Amino acid sequence: MGNSGTSLSSPVPRHIAIIMDGNGRWAARRGLSPSAGHKAGVERIRDLLSACRSRGVEVLTLFAFSSENWQRPPKEVELLMTLFHSYLRKEARRMRDEGVRLRVVGRRDRFSPRLQRAIAEAEEITRGCTQGDLVIAADYGGRWDIAQAAKQLAEEVVNGQRSLDSIDEDAVESHIQLADLPSVDLLIRSSGEQRISNFILWQAAYSELFFTDTLWPDFDESALDEAIKAFQKRDRRFGGRAEGDGTAVQA
């Protein structure tokens, strides 16, 4: 997403994914309604996208709405859908002007036709952009992602397009959402929770995990820099050995 004017050393993660958590608690601590928290959380996206671009991050993936979030109260779900639609309508042209391609991953059939059209239009507006990617995971679940990849591969076998023996990790990965993008280097979760909640299970196999108590609406540039600096201190071995250590390690 470009690189300008930051003091961070290398390496900077190519792909950062964030579980945006804590909107409700942020609002409650201020005596505000949950809707105010969600609105503040949406506003945070623009600033964070800009911060990632200035630091040289190529891909930012945001967990906006999980497959399980449909279980929330209907009024809250309706608000989240309205905010999502509004964000797409307001921000698509801004992203195009900044060279950022927008992609939405996850199921779409459970969204309203109006929202499905807004997603398609926003993706089309930014399709030719090459300065970075913003990925929004909506009605997405990591298990669903792997299951749909398996289903597609099974259909190819049944249709005679591939042999059963040709199915390996590379074949599965080619059918996973975001298969054409770099693997996730750094996975961040805000609000103090320390789990990944069925998010990008395949893509995050070797991600560095960073958990922060900062609530999502307060997650600013300094919070991002803290996460990146923690990433830079990690020894990423990908199943190899630590330097100078003759003992095999698993991660």
Side-chain angles (χ1 to χ4, degrees):
M1 292 190 184
N3 196 351
S4 61
T6 67
S7 58
L8 290 171
S9 60
S10 295
V12 172
R14 295 180 65 194
H15 188 167
I16 293 178
I18 303 179
I19 300 174
M20 304 180 294
D21 196 10
N23 292 339
R25 276 168 282 178
W26 182 89
R29 291 177 184 179
R30 288 161 176 77
L32 302 174
S33 66
S35 63
H38 289 310
K39 290 175 182 176
V42 170
E43 290 298 316
R44 176 56 56 197
I45 296 174
R46 184 186 304 118
D47 294 337
L48 189 66
L49 177 60
S50 177
C52 283
R53 292 183 67 238
S54 71
R55 285 152 178 78
V57 177
E58 298 175 23
V59 185
L60 174 64
T61 295
L62 302 175
F63 202 11
F65 190 85
S66 76
S67 304
E68 293 76 26
N69 285 157
W70 292 108
Q71 302 172 36
R72 293 188 176 189
K75 288 187 177 180
E76 183 177 2
V77 171
E78 182 180 0
L79 170 67
L80 291 170
M81 295 299 106
T82 299
L83 288 172
F84 187 21
H85 182 273
S86 177
Y87 177 82
L88 294 169
R89 301 291 290 180
K90 289 180 179 178
E91 299 297 323
R93 285 176 174 78
R94 183 195 301 272
M95 284 186 277
R96 179 196 60 193
D97 293 343
E98 295 179 354
V100 177
R101 177 175 57 165
L102 172 69
R103 302 171 66 175
V104 177
V105 297
R107 292 183 59 173
R108 300 193 187 187
D109 58 298
R110 294 191 283 192
F111 292 143
S112 69
R114 177 171 175 263
L115 181 53
Q116 291 181 47
R117 287 193 299 271
I119 292 171
E121 290 170 4
E123 288 181 324
E124 183 60 32
I125 288 170
T126 64
R127 187 174 303 279
C129 297
T130 59
Q131 299 304 305
D133 287 276
L134 172 64
V135 180
I136 296 178
D139 197 2
Y140 174 89
R143 290 176 176 175
W144 165 84
D145 196 356
I146 296 170
Q148 62 85 29
K151 180 180 179 181
Q152 290 177 31
L153 288 167
E155 289 174 346
E156 290 175 8
V157 171
V158 169
N159 294 332
Q161 296 172 280
R162 70 162 60 242
S163 68
L164 185 61
D165 290 340
S166 72
I167 298 178
D168 54 15
E169 288 186 18
D170 290 338
V172 175
E173 184 162 1
S174 70
H175 289 71
I176 291 287
Q177 305 277 298
L178 310 184
D180 60 319
L181 295 176
S183 296
V184 176
D185 297 304
L186 175 61
L187 174 58
I188 301 169
R189 181 167 187 155
S190 60
S191 86
E193 303 293 348
Q194 297 189 16
R195 56 182 179 272
I196 61 175
S197 297
N198 195 25
F199 183 39
I200 53 172
L201 301 178
W202 183 280
Q203 303 89 330
Y206 276 100
S207 299
E208 298 299 326
L209 306 181
F210 182 83
F211 302 107
T212 175
D213 290 335
T214 302
L215 302 177
W216 173 245
D218 291 328
F219 194 92
D220 56 13
E221 291 191 25
S222 63
L224 175 66
D225 287 343
E226 180 185 4
I228 293 176
K229 289 175 181 176
F231 168 84
Q232 291 170 337
K233 295 177 182 178
R234 307 282 176 88
D235 181 11
R236 307 191 76 201
R237 299 187 295 271
F238 301 99
R241 293 179 176 177
E243 186 174 350
D245 184 0
T247 304
V249 295
Q250 299 301 313

